Amino acid sequence: MGNIKKYLQETTLHGFKYLADSSLSNWEKLFFFAALLSCSVVVIHLISNIYARWDSTPVLIGISPHPIPIVNLPMPAITLCNMNQALYSRVANYSKDSKEYAILRYLCFSDSMTVTDFENSEEFKNNDIQISDFITQHAHPCSRMLLQCQIGSIVYNCSELFREVLTDEGLCCSFNTLEPEFLFKGNYHIIKALPRNSEFQPVTWSPETGYQSNLPPKYYPHRTLGTGISMGITIFLNAEVDEYYCSSTSGPGFKLSLSSPIDMPQVKEVGVTVPLRSETRFRMDVIRSESATAIRSIKRQQRQCVFLNEIPLLYYKYYSKRHCENECQSAYLIRQCGCIPYHLPPIYSNATFCTMKSSFCVERAQQRFSRALTGNCLSRCMPSCFDLTFMPDAFSSSLTSRNYSIQSPLLASMSREELSNIAVLHFYFRESVIHSELKNVYIGLTEFLSNTGGILGLFMGFSFISVAEIVYFSVLRPVFKFVVPKKYRKSAHIRRVSENKNWLPDEITKATRKSIQP
């Protein structure tokens, strides 16, 4: 009790000394005790609010103050698909009772998957043809679809820029995607690789680390050259409408998808349609997401984003939300049907791609998976902490239908009938610099201590010296008074008194008597 009274008299905290002041009446002490209690309640309430905000909103999304030149970013990965699912000249001779026609019915008529007679037919149940092989052999190849390609107003061979890929829309042509050996783990299937003797060399790139060091003179993913159509990408496409057997929509044309160079395209559901006999300009804006290093210390469920190397995937080398969801879908379809559709990643080395006879099972399982918005696998598929998104605004105009001069020699040499198969696409950027969306710590440890320290200092005069006083009076002083042997404490006091030569004799006598008292 004496130690507590001594603390109340000596502490720097406001108001406590009045509780140990013997000159005050009990009513006066009760008044100060009530004031201290009220301050303590208010302090606890305010600090709990600060902690709740710190815990519930750990990340703040703002605008980065540092502008990024557009030339430091790659061009978008462009995936182009003809809506024609099969060339008429290659499938016209298949009979209706053949296995090939069963695949055509599956690709062309979506209502076939609801017909029970089709599921029980012999050409379906005994059909072991790989759907991917059929599409590769019968779809519109890129060599016939791509007429001319330009980057920065310079004409290039399209075969050096585009590779054929299988997507959920079928056979498509992909530009500026990462080289497969940099993007995938283990074995991967390439329909038609880019020529090795090309003047463009493959390099690595990611939204988090950017381009690799020591870049060659010409490389891909291609870096953005500047703003405007003259510094963008121009592509001339030929749909060959006479070769249409069936369309994935209600008419002829193309579908395209813009994505980051490390992302796999998703064309069927979110692709943009391009009409024929038109010139379409895609004016692009870039949304770049980045994160401060400080948020790595925050739990993943709280910051709601994943760094590229934080969650290792089975098939992809780089994490993205779409890659994670694709692997989840592959795992689900393996459990349900024992195989993987041709456009999803083979996450296991012994996984097999689905044949035609598994298509009904795959369609039903995919519908169940699409409706399952949550799950053990999908719950961990969060957005990337670093990401790159391209947002296009499309503007179309009709190609020439009269006899007047035009700038393109390729279009000028075509007849009106030939122009009905053509679509011209321009991709270009509007702004020369962008400001990223920056994820940063909303209330860090320094801000939390500042806020709580300010409240404690305002209401109670609290400081770190107050902590030292609590440690001293609760630990050090009792130890020295009750644990240290009494003789050491007395001798030390007497020696300190005797060594002080400035004291008067009567002061020495009083101090000595006081130290000898039990």
Side-chain angles (χ1 to χ4, degrees):
M1 292 301 297
N3 193 44
I4 294 174
K5 185 176 181 180
K6 184 69 173 176
Y7 168 73
L8 295 176
Q9 293 173 343
E10 301 295 338
T11 182
T12 57
L13 291 176
H14 297 168
F16 284 90
K17 65 179 181 179
Y18 299 110
L19 301 179
D21 192 347
S22 58
S23 64
L24 298 179
S25 64
N26 291 335
W27 288 104
E28 292 172 314
K29 292 180 180 179
L30 183 61
F31 169 78
F32 285 106
F33 177 78
L36 286 172
L37 184 62
S38 301
C39 289
S40 300
V41 171
V42 173
V43 166
I44 292 173
H45 174 70
L46 295 177
I47 292 179
S48 64
N49 288 343
I50 294 174
Y51 179 79
R53 186 169 55 179
W54 182 38
D55 185 63
S56 62
T57 314
V59 175
L60 175 67
I61 301 178
I63 303 298
S64 174
H66 306 291
I68 300 176
I70 198 71
V71 294
N72 291 345
L73 300 177
M75 293 180 179
I78 303 173
T79 304
L80 301 170
C81 309
N82 194 335
M83 294 180 188
N84 184 20
Q85 298 297 294
L87 293 175
Y88 183 84
S89 59
R90 297 183 181 180
V91 300
N93 295 327
Y94 290 133
S95 61
K96 292 187 177 181
D97 58 349
S98 65
K99 295 181 179 180
E100 290 80 6
Y101 185 80
I103 299 180
L104 282 175
R105 189 175 175 182
Y106 165 73
L107 294 175
C108 296
F109 308 107
S110 57
D111 57 345
S112 299
M113 305 312 295
T114 61
V115 179
T116 307
D117 295 340
F118 179 54
E119 184 177 4
N120 297 327
S121 62
E122 291 297 326
E123 61 269 16
F124 173 79
K125 290 193 298 183
N126 300 323
N127 200 332
D128 293 327
I129 299 177
Q130 291 280 352
I131 300 177
S132 58
D133 295 339
F134 182 88
I135 292 175
T136 304
Q137 296 168 7
H138 299 83
H140 196 189
C142 296
S143 58
R144 293 172 58 174
M145 187 172 71
L146 300 168
L147 295 181
Q148 190 180 92
C149 302
Q150 300 177 12
I151 300 179
S153 302
I154 300 176
V155 178
Y156 292 95
N157 188 348
C158 293
S159 62
E160 296 184 356
L161 303 178
F162 286 83
R163 63 163 56 92
E164 291 182 345
V165 295
L166 284 173
T167 70
D168 51 358
E169 182 69 15
L171 185 67
C172 302
C173 310
S174 180
F175 164 78
N176 213 42
T177 56
L178 209 62
E179 182 71 12
E181 64 180 284
F182 299 144
L183 184 58
F184 305 124
K185 298 178 181 178
N187 297 324
Y188 49 86
H189 176 66
I190 299 178
I191 300 175
K192 186 177 180 182
L194 295 179
R196 285 296 181 180
N197 58 352
S198 172
E199 57 181 314
F200 298 103
Q201 301 300 316
V203 297
T204 60
W205 176 88
S206 72
E208 187 170 341
T209 59
Y211 281 100
Q212 68 181 46
S213 56
N214 302 323
L215 292 171
K218 293 186 178 181
Y219 53 86
Y220 68 91
H222 300 266
R223 194 188 294 266
T224 301
L225 300 179
T227 59
I229 291 180
S230 62
M231 303 302 288
I233 307 163
T234 299
I235 305 170
F236 294 79
L237 301 175
N238 183 9
E240 296 189 40
V241 179
D242 293 339
E243 283 281 8
Y244 263 58
Y245 181 82
C246 62
S247 174
S248 60
T249 62
S250 300
F254 299 94
K255 280 186 180 181
L256 67 87
S257 171
L258 301 179
S259 61
S260 167
I262 69 166
D263 249 338
M264 297 303 296
Q266 190 176 6
V267 185
K268 184 177 182 179
E269 299 294 338
V270 298
V272 179
T273 59
V274 178
L276 298 182
R277 200 183 180 90
S278 65
E279 185 174 14
T280 306
R281 290 172 170 83
F282 292 93
R283 188 179 63 192
M284 298 180 295
D285 291 318
V286 184
I287 300 176
R288 184 175 186 269
S289 301
E290 59 179 279
S291 301
T293 308
I295 73 169
R296 277 185 177 267
S297 59
I298 302 175
K299 293 181 180 180
R300 200 158 51 232
Q301 291 294 335
Q302 292 181 313
R303 59 175 141 92
Q304 286 294 303
C305 73
V306 179
F307 289 90
L308 290 181
N309 58 353
E310 195 170 11
I311 297 182
L313 300 177
L314 297 174
Y315 184 71
Y316 300 104
K317 290 184 178 181
Y318 294 102
Y319 176 88
S320 73
K321 188 175 186 295
R322 186 176 300 170
H323 288 174
C324 181
E325 291 173 346
N326 286 347
E327 291 197 355
C328 287
Q329 189 172 4
S330 292
Y332 180 79
L333 293 176
I334 288 177
R335 292 194 302 268
Q336 298 295 318
C337 304
C339 61
I340 300 175
Y342 62 88
H343 62 276
L344 290 178
I347 56 178
Y348 305 126
S349 58
N350 59 349
T352 58
F353 288 107
C354 297
T355 58
M356 183 58 199
K357 63 182 180 182
S358 303
S359 57
F360 273 90
C361 176
V362 170
E363 286 293 327
R364 297 187 183 111
Q366 284 183 327
Q367 291 177 3
R368 292 193 298 269
F369 182 83
S370 300
R371 290 192 293 265
L373 299 179
T374 59
N376 293 332
C377 185
L378 289 177
S379 61
R380 69 185 182 97
C381 295
M382 302 178 187
S384 300
C385 293
F386 288 81
D387 199 7
L388 199 62
T389 305
F390 299 91
M391 304 297 294
D393 292 325
F395 307 92
S396 295
S397 60
S398 300
L399 294 178
T400 178
S401 59
R402 296 181 179 273
N403 296 324
Y404 51 82
S405 300
I406 57 176
Q407 292 185 354
S408 173
L410 180 63
L411 297 180
S413 63
M414 294 182 180
S415 63
R416 293 184 182 181
E417 291 75 15
E418 291 174 326
L419 287 175
S420 63
N421 294 310
I422 303 302
V424 182
L425 310 181
H426 302 279
F427 301 89
Y428 62 97
F429 292 97
R430 176 170 56 180
E431 303 291 343
S432 59
V433 296
I434 64 169
H435 288 269
S436 303
E437 292 182 354
L438 178 63
K439 298 183 181 72
N440 208 339
V441 177
Y442 180 41
I443 299 179
L445 181 60
T446 303
E447 291 80 5
F448 180 76
L449 291 177
S450 300
N451 292 338
T452 55
I455 292 174
L456 288 169
L458 176 64
F459 284 88
M460 306 183 71
F462 183 87
S463 66
F464 281 104
I465 299 300
S466 303
V467 177
E469 291 175 348
I470 294 173
V471 172
Y472 171 74
F473 281 99
S474 62
V475 179
L476 299 181
R477 195 167 188 270
V479 167
F480 181 77
K481 192 167 185 177
F482 301 108
V483 178
V484 175
K486 197 172 184 180
K487 60 180 182 178
Y488 293 110
R489 288 187 276 115
K490 285 183 178 181
S491 61
H493 188 78
I494 294 173
R495 184 168 58 252
R496 181 179 60 83
V497 171
S498 62
E499 289 177 355
N500 197 329
K501 300 179 181 181
N502 296 324
W503 283 17
L504 298 176
D506 58 340
E507 293 176 336
I508 296 176
T509 302
K510 292 179 181 179
T512 304
R513 287 177 180 176
K514 185 176 180 180
S515 64
I516 296 175
Q517 289 178 359

